Amino acid sequence: MSFNEIWDLLVGTFKTTGFPSLTWQHVVMWAIGCFFLYMAIVKDFEPLLLLPIGFGIFLVNFPNTPLFGYTESGHPELLQFFYKYGILWEVIPCLIFLGLGAMTDFEPMISNPKMLLIGAGAQLGVFVTFTGTILAGFTIKEAASVGIIGGADGPTTIYLTAKLAPHLLSANTLAAYSYMSLVPIIQAPIMRLMTSDKERLIKMKVGRRCSRTELVLFPLTCGGIIALMVPAVMPLMGMLMFGNLMRVSGVVKRLTDTAANPLMDIVTIFLGLSVGASMQAHVFLTYKPMLVFGLGLLDFVVCTAGGILTVKVINLMVKNKINPLIGNSGVSAIPMAPRLSQLVGQQYDKKNYLLMHAMAACLAGSIGSPAAAGMLISMFE
């Protein structure tokens, strides 16, 4: 073999590596991926989600890697396969709602239906941000997908964005899960700012116990009402109510355990990797995803304020007052938001237990957020 042939062979081999195609945008995305890994591993912020998302971002931002494209024969590569059939086909968000239903005890909310109003009030930011996003130059469908971020509901954000603005899926999903992991940092100052010392000391009565019949009828009744009012969101709510019916019926414990544990873990892995993999440099490093993060933060702040304001309005009309510190839990960030309500409340009175009341408000938010998404889908799809 001559020198020229050896040289051509070396040059040809070099061109098959990622080095010739490496750009500064790839390096920026490595840094973003490593930031999420740092938050998950070192800070322990939502590690179940941020770790696979961060590694997905890191993994796909190397040039020439056969991970997120299509083969010459048209078959999706590994992560593209997860993304296409799991996210774009809306399978994973629905399976997550099935798992959530199997894990969730709606009893605190059923025993105190006023909490539904807090969940509805916390959706205020969705519509405020929707208007602001349109003024920022987004289309109506894009604005609807950004507006739902404030509900702090990752699966609902994915579901709605996949339908209305799939090109914003990675930015919207990452923003939603980022704000969920930053609940203590974002919500605590708003809670202190909007409540007085007297309001923070309000003690709430323990709710009554619900009968098994009530618990079994709830998923049927709630599912039926939502199916009639906002049918567009029934893939999510149907799975949520089915998972809850399995739980409260108590007759299919093996299926309930599977939905709440192994299945939930599996879809969480696919969800995190797929969302992270969708954040390729040429897609993510544009002005719209950057704006999404700013608008999403505004949305989350307004939703938190909306929940607290709703409690204050309810207190004007009821004898048994509600502690407004649980208003932040009107967003559906379970269990971070209720845990924060409890933590802040006990900073002012160590004997005040708000956790179950806050859980009730949060469960109301987990119904209110998909309901708001269903309205937006019905209007703009």
Side-chain angles (χ1 to χ4, degrees), residues 17-324:
T17 69
F19 289 107
S21 305
L22 200 59
T23 65
W24 66 267
Q25 288 93 340
H26 292 117
V27 178
V28 170
M29 295 308 296
W30 296 346
I32 293 173
C34 289
F35 171 74
F36 281 99
L37 291 174
Y38 170 79
M39 296 290 282
I41 297 170
V42 180
K43 296 295 184 182
D44 200 29
F45 281 175
E46 289 296 305
L48 294 180
L49 284 167
L50 294 190
L51 191 143
I53 288 175
F55 196 71
I57 296 170
F58 182 75
L59 210 55
V60 295
N61 282 290
F62 287 87
N64 305 331
T65 51
L67 288 169
F68 203 67
Y70 290 86
T71 63
E72 291 181 358
S73 57
H75 295 295
E77 292 167 347
L78 180 64
L79 297 183
Q80 180 66 252
F81 183 86
F82 297 161
Y83 180 77
K84 179 176 179 180
Y85 297 111
I87 304 291
L88 291 182
W89 284 27
E90 302 156 9
V91 174
I92 288 178
C94 297
L95 289 178
I96 286 183
F97 262 63
L98 175 68
L100 287 175
M103 296 165 69
T104 302
D105 178 8
F106 282 102
E107 188 172 8
M109 191 193 73
I110 299 170
S111 65
N112 192 359
K114 289 195 294 291
M115 296 301 169
L116 285 168
L117 296 174
I118 302 175
Q123 308 309 314
L124 173 68
V126 172
F127 299 98
V128 171
T129 308
F130 171 73
T131 307
T133 308
I134 290 177
L135 295 176
F138 286 65
T139 66
I140 287 179
K141 290 185 176 181
E142 290 172 340
S145 73
V146 175
I148 203 67
I149 292 174
D153 186 340
T156 301
T157 301
I158 293 171
Y159 184 79
L160 185 143
T161 306
K163 281 187 175 298
L164 297 185
H167 56 288
L168 290 180
L169 192 54
S170 56
N172 285 1
T173 307
L174 197 62
Y177 281 115
S178 299
Y179 299 140
M180 284 170 66
S181 65
L182 295 174
V183 158
I185 297 171
I186 298 172
Q187 288 195 322
I190 302 168
M191 294 162 68
R192 293 192 180 96
L193 183 68
M194 294 185 63
T195 55
S196 65
D197 286 343
K198 185 180 176 184
E199 288 174 324
R200 294 174 202 138
L201 294 174
I202 293 174
K203 288 188 176 178
M204 299 173 64
K205 290 185 177 179
V206 178
R208 66 176 178 84
R209 299 292 300 180
C210 295
S211 67
R212 182 167 179 263
T213 304
E214 284 179 285
L215 296 176
V216 170
L217 286 178
F218 174 75
L220 298 171
T221 309
C222 184
I225 292 172
I226 292 174
L228 290 172
M229 295 183 67
V230 277
V233 81
M234 275 313 284
L236 286 179
M237 293 306 296
M239 288 295 100
L240 179 72
M241 295 304 160
F242 174 52
N244 189 248
L245 181 61
M246 288 197 299
R247 174 193 167 93
V248 296
S249 69
V251 295
V252 286
K253 289 184 178 176
R254 210 174 70 199
L255 300 185
T256 307
D257 290 342
T258 301
N261 297 297
L263 180 61
M264 194 70 164
D265 290 342
I266 291 168
V267 293
T268 299
I269 291 171
F270 289 149
L271 170 71
L273 277 176
S274 304
V275 168
S278 67
M279 291 181 59
Q280 292 177 294
H282 68 280
V283 174
F284 190 73
L285 294 178
T286 59
Y287 82 96
K288 278 194 173 179
M290 299 295 113
L291 274 176
V292 165
F293 273 81
L295 292 165
L297 177 60
L298 171 68
D299 194 359
F300 194 53
V301 169
V302 177
C303 283
T304 302
I308 296 171
L309 281 174
T310 303
V311 175
K312 287 173 170 272
V313 172
I314 294 173
N315 279 346
L316 296 174
M317 298 177 280
V318 298
K319 182 180 177 182
N320 297 319
K321 305 297 182 188
I322 301 172
N323 191 316

